[in-house]
Amino acid sequence: MDTRRDFLKKAILLSGTTGLSSVLPNSVRRAVAINPQPGSTYLDAEHIVILMQENRSFDHTFGTLKGVRGFNDPRAVKLPNNNLVWLQSGKSGDTFIPFHFDIKNTKATWMGSTPHSRSSQVDAWNNGRHDNWISSKRVWDKRYADIPLTMGYYNREDIPFYYAMADAFTVCDHNFCSAMTSTNPNRLFFWTGTLREEQESHSKAYMRNLSNDRWGVLRFDTFPERLEAAGISWKFYQNDIDCGGGFTGEERAWLANFGCNPLEWFANYHVKFSARYLQGLQKQLASLPGEIQELQRTATSLSADDPRLEKIRQSISKKEQVLSSAKKDLSEYSRDAFRKLPAKDQSLYERAFTINSGDPYFHNVAPLTYQDNGVSRQLDIPKGDVLYQFRKDVEEGHLPAVSWLAGAQNLSDHPSAPWYGSLYASEILDILTKNPEVWKKTIFIVTFDENDGYFDHIPPFVAPNPKDPQTGKCSAGIDAGVEYIYLEDELSEGMSKREARGGPIGLGFRVPMVVASPWSRGGQVCSQIFDHTSTLQFLETFFQKKLGKNVKETNISTWRRTVCGDLTSVFNPYNNEKPVQLPFLNRESFIEKIYNAKFKKEPADYKPLTDKEIKEVNEHPLSAAVLPGQEKGISPACAIPYELYAEGGLSDDKKNFTLMVKAHNKIFGERASGSAFHTYIPQGNTPARAYTVAAGDQLSDTFALDLFEDNQYHVCVNGPNGFFREFKGNASDPLLTIACEYERSRNLLKKLSGNIVIKINSLKPGNAYTVEITDNAYKNKPLIKTFAAGDNEGHIVLNLTKSFCWYDFTVKVKTYENFERRYAGHVETGKNSFSDPLMGGVTI
């Protein structure tokens, strides 16, 4: 890069714009080529660098990426109207599917944000039915209100840098935001593990964005304070802070941190000692007395019955209050007062608000002029280096153990700004990889805070309402109450009936996350459930194992620790493997398209579907012409520590269907993960049920047959990484039990072979049944077996070698037309594998 300003120029002119299908920027190319020491692991890292961007859902960003659980998901949920989840209908009755936001030829990236308040997020989820996206996400801008923008998505040609990162490193396709709401609450989770002042079910929960005067008001603990107490170095880098304002025009969008550093909101960080805040106070002291005097002169010139008089008096009173507060704060937050703070507090301030004040131009913007097909265009961009201090610390060997970064609004990827943020992430990676010795010891995590209002097809795994057993269950010892918001609490806090919502805090909807490091290369997909607290859990694990320091975030609930992993499954030891060879194309072929798109037409690739098209999607989703697909092929898949089961059958009195969900720890021991399950009835309007099972435990629940149409039960269970079970039947089910188990290795009983064992047992001596097992995905021939009680033929092994341990089969019993069991998912053996061949369109 020739000059620091060139970075911003390229961010404006060159990002995401080529239309080329495979591009690997220089920063990614270099990162892939740098090998760590043979035998090293992620614990040999010395620097963890974390960037949280803004407001994009997983499907919206990576739905077309090869190997992830995206638009080709063969086990997508069904809606209450029996349509697949892709088929979202609005109040008008029109049905839409995801459609392409063409970043080159439309203005999609300049059309602003979609609704993502607590109320709109909960309404889209709709008690797990996941069917209300069109109505709840209707945009406020009347020009676009009839466009189902929530269903828009980008592909590789639109945002090539993020696809290049996914190609080179590890993308996490089960990474959910922490809360079913907007930005501020999710960022609280990312830096504190909670959004509650106290970890009790009815304590204050910050479920919505904080007001503009939020600085220094929160008083619960944060994770950087845990690092500080443990003597672990850290910094939060930004060009400048949000507190104090003072920017005009485009300056704030380019030069502040967009409110993305939540440490400004906490009292222990003393952000009001900043020069920016104090300068703002001084301006108020200079301007307010004159403004008050002018209003007072106006007031004295009016008659007592003049209707303008009361409004002027209110304005005077407000300005007098602001002036009094400014005088008080100037005295309280002087430099002398700062020097009297405890050393710990001073250190928290200095580390949390690491800004680019050393750059002489860090408060300046300058015009950029260029030609767009003969049309002259001009916009302002930063004159200085927005990564000045981070760059300096890396180059001088002062990078701390943990670094967080926040870009300005225009570099954050927020829908209120275009996709310039990909170049911000690219420049961070470029800085880290310029010195190979730095990159050999670095982990770079890129994630997003929430989904904005963009559709994602996987219903989030949530906590049940502990007061209502019809919403699900948790293993003993898991407090779901702290993860649940009660409507009465919202109303008692003054929330309007229109905006108040009871329901689970989270998880929220899926958001992108890519982990780049020498130990997470190779275009892997990791499908363990993560959320924002997973990054904190990773830091806990990392420093415990590397330094023996117990850095514990006590704000993280038992529910989240049960459901959400600690990211360690992302990493593999380095054993002299050759880097994956990826196609490299010239980055200089990028042209001025992002800014130019502002002047393009609106996206028009959407339309209401016909009945014929809806039927085609439902019957043949992987080949339906109208449904967007994914890139062909499979990707390396990380080993994840799940041993999950779900079985069901009639109760003895034949009035209920009984479901059993399990999360065993026999194979993975202490590493075994518990899990959440999303369970629903495909037809009708019954809310979904949420189960959370700790590792080594199991839960059972019943569904009364009268819940179902004609007493024909139909229950579906979804878990992580394509885990799916479907149960159909009625009171006349055959008298047998069916179980899907994982075959143990003959030589190592604590290992799994990767095959499935179907166990079928007749419950009544003398009864013989003919069972048909049909492969739904991987082209195995049907199996037909007839057996009686105690017959060993009832134990059937399915060899999954050619499908990389993926399975999807249905069990039916002859003459019992209403009875059916479907089992699908992946056998986790503790070894790395590959993503689903069915999803990748791979012929086996």
Side-chain angles (χ1 to χ4, degrees), residues 772-787:
E772 181 177 16
I773 301 170
T774 305
D775 188 301
N776 301 313
Y778 306 108
K779 301 183 179 179
N780 293 302
K781 295 180 179 179
L783 294 173
I784 299 176
K785 298 282 186 180
T786 300
F787 62 92

Side-chain angles (χ1 to χ4, degrees), residues 63-65 70-72 153 621-622 624-632 839:
T64 65
L65 178 67
F71 292 138
N72 285 359
Y153 71 88
L622 295 182
V626 296
L627 193 64
Q630 291 177 238
E631 300 167 339
K632 297 293 184 182
M839 203 162 59

Side-chain angles (χ1 to χ4, degrees), residues 733-739 757-763 767-775 781-789 791 793-798 809-817 819-823:
D733 282 356
L735 295 174
L736 51 74
T737 62
I738 300 174
V757 179
I758 307 171
K759 295 184 177 180
I760 305 174
N761 293 302
S762 174
L763 299 178
N767 281 21
Y769 296 100
T770 300
V771 173
E772 181 177 16
I773 301 170
T774 305
D775 188 301
K781 295 180 179 179
L783 294 173
I784 299 176
K785 298 282 186 180
T786 300
F787 62 92
D791 194 334
E793 290 296 318
H795 287 209
I796 302 167
V797 176
L798 301 184
F809 62 90
T810 298
V811 180
K812 294 184 177 181
V813 180
K814 189 175 181 180
T815 73
Y816 292 86
E817 295 182 359
F819 181 84
E820 185 177 312
R821 299 289 186 262
R822 183 181 172 193
Y823 300 89

Side-chain angles (χ1 to χ4, degrees), residues 1 10 14-18 20 22-33 156 159-169 422-423 425-427 429-430 433 582-590:
M1 192 162 290
K10 289 184 179 181
L14 313 179
S15 63
T17 58
T18 63
L20 299 170
S22 52
V23 177
L24 212 64
N26 290 335
S27 58
V28 179
R29 181 202 314 239
R30 194 161 54 234
V32 170
R156 180 181 294 274
I159 46 173
F161 176 76
Y162 286 128
Y163 274 70
M165 280 197 77
D167 287 344
F169 300 109
S422 62
L423 263 292
S426 177
E427 182 68 0
L429 187 59
D430 191 68
T433 56
L582 297 170
F584 299 120
L585 297 177
N586 187 351
R587 186 178 177 184
E588 295 308 313
S589 63
F590 287 5

Side-chain angles (χ1 to χ4, degrees), residues 94 128 325 495 536 645 749:
D94 289 338
S325 177
M495 191 64 57
L536 300 184
Y645 302 86
L749 294 181

